[in-house]
Amino acid sequence: MFSSVGALFTLITTLSLSVSALSYENLTINYPNSPNIPKILVYTYTDGYRHDSIPTAIEALAKGKKRWGVEFEFEEDKGRFTDEGLQWYDAIMFISVTGEALDEEGQKAFQRYLQNGGNFIGVHAATVALPQSDMYKQSIGALFEWHPVLQDATFKKEGVSHPATAHIPDGWRFGEEVYYFTSDPRDNGAVVLLSVDENSYNNEGYKSSNGDPHPIAWYIDPPKTSQPLAEGISKGGRVFYTALGHSNETWQDDVFMEHLVSGLVRTLDGATTKAYKQGQVGCEDPRPPPTPQPSTATTEGSLTDVGEIGGVAKPTGPGGNVHLANTATAMRIVESRGMGVSLCFVLGFLVGYYVVV
Ligand SMILES: *[C@@H]1O[C@H](CO)[C@@H](O)[C@H](O)[C@H]1NC(C)=O
Ligand SMILES: *[C@@H]1O[C@H](CO)[C@@H](O)[C@H](O)[C@H]1NC(C)=O
């Protein structure tokens, strides 16, 4: 009996320990000392118009490694777009990439990356890239058509709760080039997060076929072009696009930066991102276990999700709420109710068993 009690105690202890490790998967974006942080390939190749804010964008992101615990690598070489070259990254980000930015082989490698669960983030003129490629258009959601001159416009949050817009005031006035698209990104599965009020600036009477409300930022989870999935992959990755990002001032604006980085964090927070131990794309392999870190989260820094346990993905569903607080910590708590139920069941069984014995 004594040894049974001892065994029971050991079992319960072991179970509770493993359950606490499994029930909460706290994702801290601010893990500056961890080798296990996401790596993003930032591509800024241009063929044609080149935004002079690209260096400012690079600078703004490069500073962010410590702050967000995300590592950026900056690239302008088309040659990086091979299976070999892309396999190290948790996401690929195109910032104001224009024109024929990928050759045919590069486009195929890009699509295979998506089919392997890769994540993709497009910023501003990323919709100006690859105008001939249906694959690219479906991946990013829509392609650029036209914009009026840079001026203040009123941006509106769409009714989806999402970290990229959580902090944006309703009716946000911001100086930007308002992008129009040749088609409605919703036709490619986009969920629009931010739109623009077409009456809030001078649009020169331009009519677009990009749908209403006029889309400005969106996510797609997952893009159609991740099909067919590569062998062993259970879900495609996530796409996030924002049309904002034109000028230097934009990249120095906190509201914009939080919009972008929160959108990025949410994109990474999918079932397929390797830095978050769940998927197949990206970075060191095998990845070391995360180093437990004292939490620096504030109450605003938490995100109750939504997500997935053990790589079983649910669609991004609204309701997630990553907020990059000033403490720069975004944290995800995934509570496994199923796990709790199993624990109760196992404990109940054990207690019953030992009482009977
Ligand atoms: C994760 O978060 C939960 C809830 O805030 C906390 O109880 C738990 O100790 C955290 N786990 C780790 C490893 O930090
Ligand atoms: C934006 O910044 C870049 C480099 O930091 C600079 O070369 C460029 O002139 C700036 N653009 C404007 C419009 O001020």
Side-chain angles (χ1 to χ4, degrees):
M1 189 59 201
F2 226 88
S3 67
S4 302
V5 171
L8 175 61
F9 182 74
T10 314
L11 244 167
I12 290 178
T13 317
T14 317
L15 270 170
S16 344
L17 282 179
S18 59
V19 164
S20 70
L22 279 168
S23 299
Y24 291 96
E25 189 171 86
N26 299 357
L27 173 127
T28 305
I29 265 293
N30 186 17
Y31 259 23
N33 301 319
S34 169
N36 211 12
I37 67 176
K39 274 194 187 159
I40 319 297
L41 182 68
V42 178
Y43 191 50
T44 49
Y45 178 96
T46 51
D47 162 31
Y49 190 80
R50 186 170 180 86
H51 281 75
D52 71 1
S53 59
I54 286 176
T56 313
I58 290 176
E59 195 188 327
L61 291 176
K63 278 199 301 221
K65 177 176 176 183
K66 258 221 153 77
R67 185 167 169 213
W68 307 307
V70 176
E71 193 169 315
F72 298 97
E73 255 181 72
F74 302 96
E75 181 60 88
E76 296 239 331
D77 180 5
K78 278 184 178 178
R80 180 66 79 96
F81 284 74
T82 62
D83 295 342
E84 270 290 287
L86 298 182
Q87 67 179 327
W88 308 105
Y89 300 98
D90 292 292
I92 296 171
M93 181 187 273
F94 278 25
I95 299 179
S96 291
V97 170
T98 52
E100 295 308 318
L102 299 177
D103 57 28
E104 206 142 295
E105 284 312 305
Q107 290 179 38
K108 285 184 184 149
F110 177 81
Q111 184 170 9
R112 280 193 297 271
Y113 177 80
L114 299 177
Q115 290 169 327
N116 274 286
N119 300 302
F120 176 61
I121 294 111
V123 184
H124 195 54
T127 42
V128 177
L130 299 172
Q132 312 302 327
S133 167
D134 269 352
M135 182 281 296
Y136 184 70
K137 177 180 171 178
Q138 283 182 19
S139 304
I140 197 165
L143 293 178
F144 171 81
E145 183 174 42
W146 177 82
H147 68 76
V149 295
L150 188 136
Q151 60 193 300
D152 282 4
T154 302
F155 296 92
K156 300 183 301 184
K157 291 202 268 197
E158 289 306 311
V160 188
S161 156
H162 190 279
T165 46
H167 66 294
I168 292 185
D170 231 354
W172 178 41
R173 285 295 282 174
F174 193 62
E176 249 307 340
E177 277 179 355
V178 173
Y179 270 23
Y180 286 64
F181 304 95
T182 57
S183 63
D184 189 338
R186 283 161 284 232
D187 296 343
N188 283 320
V191 176
V192 175
L193 301 171
L194 195 68
S195 66
V196 69
D197 175 356
E198 288 189 356
N199 297 317
S200 67
Y201 57 94
N202 178 6
N203 67 6
E204 302 164 36
Y206 197 86
K207 286 266 173 272
S208 175
S209 38
N210 60 199
D212 185 43
H214 183 134
I216 292 294
W218 58 79
Y219 73 81
I220 309 176
D221 181 20
K224 288 181 205 165
T225 46
S226 60
Q227 302 293 331
L229 296 169
E231 206 181 315
I233 305 298
S234 57
K235 183 181 178 288
R238 294 178 173 178
V239 169
F240 174 73
Y241 171 75
T242 180
L244 308 180
H246 178 73
S247 47
N248 287 336
E249 288 71 26
T250 306
W251 290 91
Q252 287 151 351
D253 184 276
D254 287 344
V255 178
F256 168 75
M257 286 306 290
E258 185 163 341
H259 166 62
L260 176 61
V261 176
S262 299
L264 165 66
V265 168
R266 182 39 163 269
T267 305
L268 292 170
D269 190 19
T272 61
T273 307
K274 200 157 210 166
Y276 295 163
K277 308 186 286 346
Q278 301 207 27
Q280 288 84 1
V281 250
C283 246
E284 295 113 305
D285 196 13
R287 303 190 70 112
T291 331
Q293 304 263 329
S295 167
T296 52
T298 61
T299 43
E300 352 167 49
S302 71
L303 153 73
T304 313
D305 199 6
V306 312
E308 50 280 313
I309 304 270
V312 183
K314 275 198 322 200
T316 319
N321 197 17
V322 182
H323 187 85
L324 289 183
N326 295 336
T327 57
T329 300
M331 176 182 258
R332 188 185 61 169
I333 300 160
V334 175
E335 193 180 352
S336 165
R337 293 194 183 83
M339 212 49 217
V341 170
S342 338
L343 174 63
C344 290
F345 180 79
V346 170
L347 284 181
F349 175 80
L350 283 171
V351 168
Y353 175 80
Y354 280 96
V355 166
V356 168
V357 170

PDB file of all heavy atoms in Angstrom, residues 168-199:
ATOM      1  N   ILE A 168      -5.241  50.053 -33.500  1.00  0.00           N
ATOM      2  CA  ILE A 168      -5.514  51.166 -34.424  1.00  0.00           C
ATOM      3  C   ILE A 168      -6.823  51.841 -34.048  1.00  0.00           C
ATOM      4  O   ILE A 168      -7.839  51.175 -33.881  1.00  0.00           O
ATOM      5  CB  ILE A 168      -5.539  50.644 -35.883  1.00  0.00           C
ATOM      6  CG1 ILE A 168      -4.119  50.208 -36.275  1.00  0.00           C
ATOM      7  CG2 ILE A 168      -6.078  51.704 -36.844  1.00  0.00           C
ATOM      8  CD1 ILE A 168      -3.952  49.792 -37.721  1.00  0.00           C
ATOM      9  N   PRO A 169      -6.783  53.168 -33.887  1.00  0.00           N
ATOM     10  CA  PRO A 169      -8.028  53.854 -33.534  1.00  0.00           C
ATOM     11  C   PRO A 169      -9.021  53.781 -34.689  1.00  0.00           C
ATOM     12  O   PRO A 169      -8.610  53.766 -35.855  1.00  0.00           O
ATOM     13  CB  PRO A 169      -7.584  55.302 -33.298  1.00  0.00           C
ATOM     14  CG  PRO A 169      -6.193  55.434 -33.816  1.00  0.00           C
ATOM     15  CD  PRO A 169      -5.624  54.068 -34.010  1.00  0.00           C
ATOM     16  N   ASP A 170     -10.275  53.704 -34.373  1.00  0.00           N
ATOM     17  CA  ASP A 170     -11.273  53.663 -35.432  1.00  0.00           C
ATOM     18  C   ASP A 170     -11.277  55.009 -36.140  1.00  0.00           C
ATOM     19  O   ASP A 170     -11.226  56.050 -35.496  1.00  0.00           O
ATOM     20  CB  ASP A 170     -12.654  53.350 -34.835  1.00  0.00           C
ATOM     21  CG  ASP A 170     -13.275  52.187 -35.596  1.00  0.00           C
ATOM     22  OD1 ASP A 170     -12.669  51.747 -36.608  1.00  0.00           O
ATOM     23  OD2 ASP A 170     -14.338  51.718 -35.171  1.00  0.00           O
ATOM     24  N   GLY A 171     -11.313  54.990 -37.446  1.00  0.00           N
ATOM     25  CA  GLY A 171     -11.255  56.243 -38.180  1.00  0.00           C
ATOM     26  C   GLY A 171      -9.875  56.864 -38.078  1.00  0.00           C
ATOM     27  O   GLY A 171      -9.714  58.058 -37.836  1.00  0.00           O
ATOM     28  N   TRP A 172      -8.871  56.082 -38.270  1.00  0.00           N
ATOM     29  CA  TRP A 172      -7.472  56.515 -38.139  1.00  0.00           C
ATOM     30  C   TRP A 172      -7.077  57.373 -39.344  1.00  0.00           C
ATOM     31  O   TRP A 172      -7.135  56.928 -40.480  1.00  0.00           O
ATOM     32  CB  TRP A 172      -6.608  55.255 -38.053  1.00  0.00           C
ATOM     33  CG  TRP A 172      -5.134  55.468 -37.954  1.00  0.00           C
ATOM     34  CD1 TRP A 172      -4.478  56.393 -37.216  1.00  0.00           C
ATOM     35  CD2 TRP A 172      -4.121  54.690 -38.623  1.00  0.00           C
ATOM     36  NE1 TRP A 172      -3.111  56.251 -37.366  1.00  0.00           N
ATOM     37  CE2 TRP A 172      -2.867  55.207 -38.228  1.00  0.00           C
ATOM     38  CE3 TRP A 172      -4.150  53.603 -39.502  1.00  0.00           C
ATOM     39  CZ2 TRP A 172      -1.659  54.675 -38.688  1.00  0.00           C
ATOM     40  CZ3 TRP A 172      -2.955  53.072 -39.954  1.00  0.00           C
ATOM     41  CH2 TRP A 172      -1.724  53.605 -39.546  1.00  0.00           C
ATOM     42  N   ARG A 173      -6.674  58.612 -39.098  1.00  0.00           N
ATOM     43  CA  ARG A 173      -6.184  59.500 -40.168  1.00  0.00           C
ATOM     44  C   ARG A 173      -4.691  59.284 -40.316  1.00  0.00           C
ATOM     45  O   ARG A 173      -3.932  59.370 -39.336  1.00  0.00           O
ATOM     46  CB  ARG A 173      -6.411  60.982 -39.810  1.00  0.00           C
ATOM     47  CG  ARG A 173      -7.807  61.502 -39.907  1.00  0.00           C
ATOM     48  CD  ARG A 173      -8.406  61.532 -41.289  1.00  0.00           C
ATOM     49  NE  ARG A 173      -7.985  62.629 -42.166  1.00  0.00           N
ATOM     50  CZ  ARG A 173      -8.341  62.721 -43.451  1.00  0.00           C
ATOM     51  NH1 ARG A 173      -9.106  61.798 -44.014  1.00  0.00           N
ATOM     52  NH2 ARG A 173      -7.931  63.742 -44.192  1.00  0.00           N
ATOM     53  N   PHE A 174      -4.277  58.994 -41.507  1.00  0.00           N
ATOM     54  CA  PHE A 174      -2.864  58.691 -41.723  1.00  0.00           C
ATOM     55  C   PHE A 174      -2.500  59.086 -43.141  1.00  0.00           C
ATOM     56  O   PHE A 174      -3.288  58.919 -44.075  1.00  0.00           O
ATOM     57  CB  PHE A 174      -2.634  57.187 -41.501  1.00  0.00           C
ATOM     58  CG  PHE A 174      -1.178  56.809 -41.387  1.00  0.00           C
ATOM     59  CD1 PHE A 174      -0.384  57.321 -40.361  1.00  0.00           C
ATOM     60  CD2 PHE A 174      -0.596  55.937 -42.295  1.00  0.00           C
ATOM     61  CE1 PHE A 174       0.959  56.966 -40.254  1.00  0.00           C
ATOM     62  CE2 PHE A 174       0.745  55.580 -42.187  1.00  0.00           C
ATOM     63  CZ  PHE A 174       1.519  56.092 -41.166  1.00  0.00           C
ATOM     64  N   GLY A 175      -1.300  59.639 -43.318  1.00  0.00           N
ATOM     65  CA  GLY A 175      -0.844  60.028 -44.642  1.00  0.00           C
ATOM     66  C   GLY A 175      -0.258  58.826 -45.371  1.00  0.00           C
ATOM     67  O   GLY A 175       0.745  58.287 -44.934  1.00  0.00           O
ATOM     68  N   GLU A 176      -0.898  58.426 -46.438  1.00  0.00           N
ATOM     69  CA  GLU A 176      -0.442  57.237 -47.173  1.00  0.00           C
ATOM     70  C   GLU A 176      -0.830  57.344 -48.635  1.00  0.00           C
ATOM     71  O   GLU A 176      -1.724  58.114 -49.005  1.00  0.00           O
ATOM     72  CB  GLU A 176      -1.114  55.968 -46.620  1.00  0.00           C
ATOM     73  CG  GLU A 176      -0.225  55.002 -45.873  1.00  0.00           C
ATOM     74  CD  GLU A 176       1.035  54.534 -46.598  1.00  0.00           C
ATOM     75  OE1 GLU A 176       1.117  54.622 -47.837  1.00  0.00           O
ATOM     76  OE2 GLU A 176       1.945  54.075 -45.904  1.00  0.00           O
ATOM     77  N   GLU A 177      -0.205  56.542 -49.441  1.00  0.00           N
ATOM     78  CA  GLU A 177      -0.714  56.291 -50.780  1.00  0.00           C
ATOM     79  C   GLU A 177      -1.803  55.250 -50.618  1.00  0.00           C
ATOM     80  O   GLU A 177      -1.534  54.154 -50.108  1.00  0.00           O
ATOM     81  CB  GLU A 177       0.393  55.680 -51.637  1.00  0.00           C
ATOM     82  CG  GLU A 177       1.326  56.696 -52.217  1.00  0.00           C
ATOM     83  CD  GLU A 177       2.431  56.041 -53.037  1.00  0.00           C
ATOM     84  OE1 GLU A 177       2.516  54.806 -53.074  1.00  0.00           O
ATOM     85  OE2 GLU A 177       3.214  56.775 -53.636  1.00  0.00           O
ATOM     86  N   VAL A 178      -3.000  55.583 -51.029  1.00  0.00           N
ATOM     87  CA  VAL A 178      -4.091  54.612 -50.926  1.00  0.00           C
ATOM     88  C   VAL A 178      -4.036  53.698 -52.155  1.00  0.00           C
ATOM     89  O   VAL A 178      -4.221  54.153 -53.279  1.00  0.00           O
ATOM     90  CB  VAL A 178      -5.457  55.320 -50.833  1.00  0.00           C
ATOM     91  CG1 VAL A 178      -6.584  54.303 -50.903  1.00  0.00           C
ATOM     92  CG2 VAL A 178      -5.537  56.141 -49.545  1.00  0.00           C
ATOM     93  N   TYR A 179      -3.759  52.451 -51.910  1.00  0.00           N
ATOM     94  CA  TYR A 179      -3.641  51.516 -53.024  1.00  0.00           C
ATOM     95  C   TYR A 179      -5.008  50.996 -53.474  1.00  0.00           C
ATOM     96  O   TYR A 179      -5.882  50.693 -52.657  1.00  0.00           O
ATOM     97  CB  TYR A 179      -2.778  50.318 -52.612  1.00  0.00           C
ATOM     98  CG  TYR A 179      -1.301  50.507 -52.887  1.00  0.00           C
ATOM     99  CD1 TYR A 179      -0.730  51.779 -52.997  1.00  0.00           C
ATOM    100  CD2 TYR A 179      -0.471  49.396 -53.037  1.00  0.00           C
ATOM    101  CE1 TYR A 179       0.627  51.929 -53.256  1.00  0.00           C
ATOM    102  CE2 TYR A 179       0.889  49.544 -53.287  1.00  0.00           C
ATOM    103  CZ  TYR A 179       1.433  50.808 -53.397  1.00  0.00           C
ATOM    104  OH  TYR A 179       2.772  50.953 -53.650  1.00  0.00           O
ATOM    105  N   TYR A 180      -5.136  50.916 -54.808  1.00  0.00           N
ATOM    106  CA  TYR A 180      -6.287  50.256 -55.425  1.00  0.00           C
ATOM    107  C   TYR A 180      -5.753  48.983 -56.071  1.00  0.00           C
ATOM    108  O   TYR A 180      -4.592  48.942 -56.515  1.00  0.00           O
ATOM    109  CB  TYR A 180      -6.904  51.166 -56.495  1.00  0.00           C
ATOM    110  CG  TYR A 180      -7.688  52.333 -55.924  1.00  0.00           C
ATOM    111  CD1 TYR A 180      -7.057  53.310 -55.167  1.00  0.00           C
ATOM    112  CD2 TYR A 180      -9.061  52.456 -56.144  1.00  0.00           C
ATOM    113  CE1 TYR A 180      -7.771  54.384 -54.638  1.00  0.00           C
ATOM    114  CE2 TYR A 180      -9.786  53.530 -55.623  1.00  0.00           C
ATOM    115  CZ  TYR A 180      -9.134  54.487 -54.854  1.00  0.00           C
ATOM    116  OH  TYR A 180      -9.840  55.532 -54.335  1.00  0.00           O
ATOM    117  N   PHE A 181      -6.590  47.955 -56.139  1.00  0.00           N
ATOM    118  CA  PHE A 181      -6.146  46.663 -56.648  1.00  0.00           C
ATOM    119  C   PHE A 181      -6.984  46.253 -57.858  1.00  0.00           C
ATOM    120  O   PHE A 181      -8.145  46.659 -57.980  1.00  0.00           O
ATOM    121  CB  PHE A 181      -6.240  45.605 -55.538  1.00  0.00           C
ATOM    122  CG  PHE A 181      -5.466  46.011 -54.310  1.00  0.00           C
ATOM    123  CD1 PHE A 181      -6.106  46.648 -53.252  1.00  0.00           C
ATOM    124  CD2 PHE A 181      -4.097  45.811 -54.235  1.00  0.00           C
ATOM    125  CE1 PHE A 181      -5.396  47.069 -52.129  1.00  0.00           C
ATOM    126  CE2 PHE A 181      -3.375  46.233 -53.126  1.00  0.00           C
ATOM    127  CZ  PHE A 181      -4.023  46.859 -52.068  1.00  0.00           C
ATOM    128  N   THR A 182      -6.384  45.421 -58.700  1.00  0.00           N
ATOM    129  CA  THR A 182      -7.091  45.022 -59.922  1.00  0.00           C
ATOM    130  C   THR A 182      -8.205  44.029 -59.647  1.00  0.00           C
ATOM    131  O   THR A 182      -9.018  43.751 -60.524  1.00  0.00           O
ATOM    132  CB  THR A 182      -6.123  44.389 -60.938  1.00  0.00           C
ATOM    133  OG1 THR A 182      -5.488  43.265 -60.307  1.00  0.00           O
ATOM    134  CG2 THR A 182      -5.054  45.375 -61.390  1.00  0.00           C
ATOM    135  N   SER A 183      -8.225  43.452 -58.464  1.00  0.00           N
ATOM    136  CA  SER A 183      -9.296  42.514 -58.129  1.00  0.00           C
ATOM    137  C   SER A 183      -9.513  42.546 -56.624  1.00  0.00           C
ATOM    138  O   SER A 183      -8.747  43.188 -55.893  1.00  0.00           O
ATOM    139  CB  SER A 183      -8.914  41.094 -58.579  1.00  0.00           C
ATOM    140  OG  SER A 183      -7.760  40.680 -57.877  1.00  0.00           O
ATOM    141  N   ASP A 184     -10.530  41.857 -56.189  1.00  0.00           N
ATOM    142  CA  ASP A 184     -10.874  41.842 -54.772  1.00  0.00           C
ATOM    143  C   ASP A 184     -10.103  40.713 -54.086  1.00  0.00           C
ATOM    144  O   ASP A 184     -10.287  39.546 -54.433  1.00  0.00           O
ATOM    145  CB  ASP A 184     -12.387  41.621 -54.632  1.00  0.00           C
ATOM    146  CG  ASP A 184     -12.860  41.799 -53.198  1.00  0.00           C
ATOM    147  OD1 ASP A 184     -12.026  41.668 -52.276  1.00  0.00           O
ATOM    148  OD2 ASP A 184     -14.067  42.056 -53.011  1.00  0.00           O
ATOM    149  N   PRO A 185      -9.242  41.048 -53.124  1.00  0.00           N
ATOM    150  CA  PRO A 185      -8.465  39.977 -52.471  1.00  0.00           C
ATOM    151  C   PRO A 185      -9.358  38.944 -51.782  1.00  0.00           C
ATOM    152  O   PRO A 185      -8.940  37.801 -51.567  1.00  0.00           O
ATOM    153  CB  PRO A 185      -7.602  40.732 -51.444  1.00  0.00           C
ATOM    154  CG  PRO A 185      -8.282  42.046 -51.246  1.00  0.00           C
ATOM    155  CD  PRO A 185      -8.957  42.361 -52.542  1.00  0.00           C
ATOM    156  N   ARG A 186     -10.602  39.348 -51.452  1.00  0.00           N
ATOM    157  CA  ARG A 186     -11.529  38.400 -50.822  1.00  0.00           C
ATOM    158  C   ARG A 186     -11.800  37.215 -51.743  1.00  0.00           C
ATOM    159  O   ARG A 186     -12.130  36.124 -51.282  1.00  0.00           O
ATOM    160  CB  ARG A 186     -12.833  39.117 -50.422  1.00  0.00           C
ATOM    161  CG  ARG A 186     -12.659  39.964 -49.142  1.00  0.00           C
ATOM    162  CD  ARG A 186     -13.749  41.019 -48.999  1.00  0.00           C
ATOM    163  NE  ARG A 186     -13.497  42.134 -49.898  1.00  0.00           N
ATOM    164  CZ  ARG A 186     -13.469  43.423 -49.522  1.00  0.00           C
ATOM    165  NH1 ARG A 186     -13.736  43.756 -48.276  1.00  0.00           N
ATOM    166  NH2 ARG A 186     -13.215  44.377 -50.395  1.00  0.00           N
ATOM    167  N   ASP A 187     -11.657  37.439 -53.068  1.00  0.00           N
ATOM    168  CA  ASP A 187     -11.826  36.323 -54.004  1.00  0.00           C
ATOM    169  C   ASP A 187     -10.728  35.275 -53.846  1.00  0.00           C
ATOM    170  O   ASP A 187     -10.874  34.146 -54.328  1.00  0.00           O
ATOM    171  CB  ASP A 187     -11.809  36.824 -55.459  1.00  0.00           C
ATOM    172  CG  ASP A 187     -12.981  37.751 -55.746  1.00  0.00           C
ATOM    173  OD1 ASP A 187     -13.958  37.745 -54.954  1.00  0.00           O
ATOM    174  OD2 ASP A 187     -12.911  38.502 -56.749  1.00  0.00           O
ATOM    175  N   ASN A 188      -9.631  35.664 -53.230  1.00  0.00           N
ATOM    176  CA  ASN A 188      -8.559  34.698 -52.986  1.00  0.00           C
ATOM    177  C   ASN A 188      -8.486  34.289 -51.520  1.00  0.00           C
ATOM    178  O   ASN A 188      -7.430  33.892 -51.026  1.00  0.00           O
ATOM    179  CB  ASN A 188      -7.210  35.273 -53.450  1.00  0.00           C
ATOM    180  CG  ASN A 188      -7.072  35.201 -54.963  1.00  0.00           C
ATOM    181  OD1 ASN A 188      -7.474  34.211 -55.576  1.00  0.00           O
ATOM    182  ND2 ASN A 188      -6.528  36.243 -55.576  1.00  0.00           N
ATOM    183  N   GLY A 189      -9.598  34.437 -50.846  1.00  0.00           N
ATOM    184  CA  GLY A 189      -9.663  33.952 -49.463  1.00  0.00           C
ATOM    185  C   GLY A 189      -9.207  34.950 -48.407  1.00  0.00           C
ATOM    186  O   GLY A 189      -9.079  34.600 -47.236  1.00  0.00           O
ATOM    187  N   ALA A 190      -8.996  36.204 -48.822  1.00  0.00           N
ATOM    188  CA  ALA A 190      -8.504  37.175 -47.840  1.00  0.00           C
ATOM    189  C   ALA A 190      -9.600  37.590 -46.858  1.00  0.00           C
ATOM    190  O   ALA A 190     -10.767  37.733 -47.237  1.00  0.00           O
ATOM    191  CB  ALA A 190      -7.966  38.406 -48.553  1.00  0.00           C
ATOM    192  N   VAL A 191      -9.200  37.774 -45.632  1.00  0.00           N
ATOM    193  CA  VAL A 191     -10.065  38.380 -44.626  1.00  0.00           C
ATOM    194  C   VAL A 191      -9.524  39.795 -44.421  1.00  0.00           C
ATOM    195  O   VAL A 191      -8.372  39.974 -44.015  1.00  0.00           O
ATOM    196  CB  VAL A 191     -10.020  37.593 -43.303  1.00  0.00           C
ATOM    197  CG1 VAL A 191     -10.840  38.292 -42.228  1.00  0.00           C
ATOM    198  CG2 VAL A 191     -10.497  36.164 -43.529  1.00  0.00           C
ATOM    199  N   VAL A 192     -10.354  40.774 -44.763  1.00  0.00           N
ATOM    200  CA  VAL A 192      -9.883  42.160 -44.728  1.00  0.00           C
ATOM    201  C   VAL A 192      -9.886  42.670 -43.283  1.00  0.00           C
ATOM    202  O   VAL A 192     -10.866  42.520 -42.555  1.00  0.00           O
ATOM    203  CB  VAL A 192     -10.742  43.050 -45.652  1.00  0.00           C
ATOM    204  CG1 VAL A 192     -10.349  44.517 -45.524  1.00  0.00           C
ATOM    205  CG2 VAL A 192     -10.585  42.582 -47.104  1.00  0.00           C
ATOM    206  N   LEU A 193      -8.765  43.268 -42.890  1.00  0.00           N
ATOM    207  CA  LEU A 193      -8.599  43.761 -41.520  1.00  0.00           C
ATOM    208  C   LEU A 193      -8.714  45.271 -41.440  1.00  0.00           C
ATOM    209  O   LEU A 193      -9.118  45.820 -40.430  1.00  0.00           O
ATOM    210  CB  LEU A 193      -7.214  43.368 -40.987  1.00  0.00           C
ATOM    211  CG  LEU A 193      -6.927  41.877 -40.960  1.00  0.00           C
ATOM    212  CD1 LEU A 193      -5.461  41.620 -40.630  1.00  0.00           C
ATOM    213  CD2 LEU A 193      -7.832  41.192 -39.945  1.00  0.00           C
ATOM    214  N   LEU A 194      -8.268  45.929 -42.524  1.00  0.00           N
ATOM    215  CA  LEU A 194      -8.258  47.385 -42.539  1.00  0.00           C
ATOM    216  C   LEU A 194      -8.746  47.829 -43.908  1.00  0.00           C
ATOM    217  O   LEU A 194      -8.366  47.237 -44.932  1.00  0.00           O
ATOM    218  CB  LEU A 194      -6.815  47.862 -42.318  1.00  0.00           C
ATOM    219  CG  LEU A 194      -6.600  49.323 -41.957  1.00  0.00           C
ATOM    220  CD1 LEU A 194      -7.161  49.600 -40.561  1.00  0.00           C
ATOM    221  CD2 LEU A 194      -5.106  49.672 -41.977  1.00  0.00           C
ATOM    222  N   SER A 195      -9.604  48.856 -43.912  1.00  0.00           N
ATOM    223  CA  SER A 195     -10.099  49.378 -45.189  1.00  0.00           C
ATOM    224  C   SER A 195      -9.935  50.890 -45.152  1.00  0.00           C
ATOM    225  O   SER A 195      -9.520  51.455 -44.138  1.00  0.00           O
ATOM    226  CB  SER A 195     -11.567  48.996 -45.378  1.00  0.00           C
ATOM    227  OG  SER A 195     -12.351  49.663 -44.412  1.00  0.00           O
ATOM    228  N   VAL A 196     -10.248  51.520 -46.283  1.00  0.00           N
ATOM    229  CA  VAL A 196     -10.140  52.968 -46.314  1.00  0.00           C
ATOM    230  C   VAL A 196     -11.491  53.542 -46.716  1.00  0.00           C
ATOM    231  O   VAL A 196     -12.218  52.940 -47.518  1.00  0.00           O
ATOM    232  CB  VAL A 196      -9.018  53.428 -47.279  1.00  0.00           C
ATOM    233  CG1 VAL A 196      -9.363  53.152 -48.731  1.00  0.00           C
ATOM    234  CG2 VAL A 196      -8.667  54.891 -47.061  1.00  0.00           C
ATOM    235  N   ASP A 197     -11.820  54.671 -46.138  1.00  0.00           N
ATOM    236  CA  ASP A 197     -13.057  55.358 -46.485  1.00  0.00           C
ATOM    237  C   ASP A 197     -12.796  56.193 -47.747  1.00  0.00           C
ATOM    238  O   ASP A 197     -12.056  57.174 -47.696  1.00  0.00           O
ATOM    239  CB  ASP A 197     -13.460  56.246 -45.298  1.00  0.00           C
ATOM    240  CG  ASP A 197     -14.674  57.103 -45.614  1.00  0.00           C
ATOM    241  OD1 ASP A 197     -15.157  57.072 -46.773  1.00  0.00           O
ATOM    242  OD2 ASP A 197     -15.134  57.808 -44.695  1.00  0.00           O
ATOM    243  N   GLU A 198     -13.379  55.785 -48.854  1.00  0.00           N
ATOM    244  CA  GLU A 198     -13.076  56.429 -50.140  1.00  0.00           C
ATOM    245  C   GLU A 198     -13.523  57.885 -50.202  1.00  0.00           C
ATOM    246  O   GLU A 198     -13.119  58.625 -51.100  1.00  0.00           O
ATOM    247  CB  GLU A 198     -13.675  55.617 -51.301  1.00  0.00           C
ATOM    248  CG  GLU A 198     -12.929  54.306 -51.533  1.00  0.00           C
ATOM    249  CD  GLU A 198     -13.344  53.563 -52.799  1.00  0.00           C
ATOM    250  OE1 GLU A 198     -14.286  54.027 -53.484  1.00  0.00           O
ATOM    251  OE2 GLU A 198     -12.727  52.526 -53.101  1.00  0.00           O
ATOM    252  N   ASN A 199     -14.367  58.288 -49.254  1.00  0.00           N
ATOM    253  CA  ASN A 199     -14.793  59.690 -49.230  1.00  0.00           C
ATOM    254  C   ASN A 199     -13.866  60.563 -48.402  1.00  0.00           C
ATOM    255  O   ASN A 199     -14.112  61.761 -48.249  1.00  0.00           O
ATOM    256  CB  ASN A 199     -16.208  59.798 -48.644  1.00  0.00           C
ATOM    257  CG  ASN A 199     -17.200  59.062 -49.521  1.00  0.00           C
ATOM    258  OD1 ASN A 199     -17.150  59.166 -50.757  1.00  0.00           O
ATOM    259  ND2 ASN A 199     -18.061  58.265 -48.894  1.00  0.00           N
TER     260      ASN A 199
END
